Amino acid sequence: MATTSEPTTVVLVHGAFADAGSWVPVIERLLAAGVPVRAPGLLMRGLRSDSDYIASVISQIPGPVLAVGHSYGGAVISNAATQASNVKGLVLVSGFAPEENEALGEAEGTSRDSALGPALVQAQFPTGVGDETAIELYVDIAKFPAVFAGDLPEAQANAFAVSQRPIAASAFDEKSGPPAWKHLPTWSVVATGDKAAGSDVLLSMARRANAELLELEGSHLIMVSQPEPVTDVILRALDKVGGSR
């Protein structure tokens, strides 16, 4: 059970085709500000299983939590926070905020700004059931910089491309559960040049969630290219939900 005597912990959840390392520039700034931080990794084998895992991680943190999600991680925290009573607010960083029974693939497919679909590459992974395999998705390494990281230096964008983590294709088809943004204060940072999730879809979702919105000129990896304003939003949200530093 969360207690007000405990400091608020910021939990940073990464998105598809990335990992917890994508939060490093933000983590450094939060730690410098004296904020407790966790950045767990996702298996990315299903929206429900990833959300259950993050809910478990959050529930075991003493004290209140501000949940922050990038891209797919936005959907994860919105689902997880309905199970973890110590979550006091949500921050979406180029993050999805799906409605109940909405699938991410369906929502992202409506975007006119996204170039992700044609850049995806399929591979197989073992499910652990006999010889059964399932499909996972990567972003074509050659296309990754333009789709994901158009405002990063070429060498850095290429490093993210070759270190990306795939996601099970089925995760994009799973229906989202009841959204926590309907009962928690929500903030959203949307990159106006987001060619992965699609700026238009992210803006629409942020407005539907009645999120306090900041638009920044940049790519899908806005927390890497512009960590200062992204961190400022997190700190502002932290102050609003009663976090102490």
Side-chain angles (χ1 to χ4, degrees), residues 2-22:
T3 61
T4 55
S5 62
E6 296 283 353
T8 301
T9 299
V10 173
V11 175
L12 302 164
V13 180
H14 66 84
F17 317 115
D19 60 22
S22 61

Side-chain angles (χ1 to χ4, degrees), residues 125-134:
F125 71 92
T127 64
V129 179
D131 295 329
E132 183 181 282
T133 62

Side-chain angles (χ1 to χ4, degrees), residues 71-245:
S71 192
Y72 170 74
V76 170
I77 63 171
S78 188
N79 280 267
T82 63
Q83 307 173 55
S85 61
N86 55 332
V87 178
K88 303 306 178 185
L90 307 174
V91 179
L92 309 169
V93 179
S94 286
F96 290 109
E99 178 60 274
E100 186 172 7
N101 294 320
E102 186 175 25
L104 293 182
E106 177 185 13
E108 194 275 337
T110 67
S111 173
R112 295 183 178 183
D113 294 336
S114 174
L116 180 62
L120 293 176
V121 177
Q122 294 188 1
Q124 303 288 324
F125 71 92
T127 64
V129 179
D131 295 329
E132 183 181 282
T133 62
I135 296 173
E136 65 181 5
L137 301 173
Y138 291 85
V139 178
D140 185 310
I141 290 174
K143 296 177 180 178
F144 187 101
V147 173
F148 250 68
D151 57 349
L152 294 182
E154 182 180 1
Q156 189 177 25
N158 288 336
F160 276 110
V162 300
S163 63
Q164 65 178 287
R165 293 192 62 177
I167 185 169
S170 59
F172 287 123
D173 296 327
E174 281 189 47
K175 302 294 186 182
S176 189
W181 50 260
K182 286 195 172 180
H183 64 268
L184 289 175
T186 302
W187 290 259
S188 182
V189 179
V190 174
T192 57
D194 193 322
K195 298 182 182 302
S199 302
D200 49 359
V201 167
L202 297 178
L203 284 169
S204 175
M205 286 185 167
R207 289 166 179 149
R208 181 177 65 185
N210 197 29
E212 184 175 315
L213 176 63
L214 173 65
E215 295 181 55
L216 293 174
E217 185 176 347
S219 73
H220 189 58
L221 289 176
I222 194 70
M223 70 284 202
V224 179
S225 62
Q226 295 195 52
E228 287 287 355
V230 171
T231 304
D232 287 345
V233 170
I234 295 171
L235 292 175
R236 186 163 65 249
L238 193 64
D239 289 340
K240 289 285 183 66
V241 300
S244 57
R245 290 185 272 142

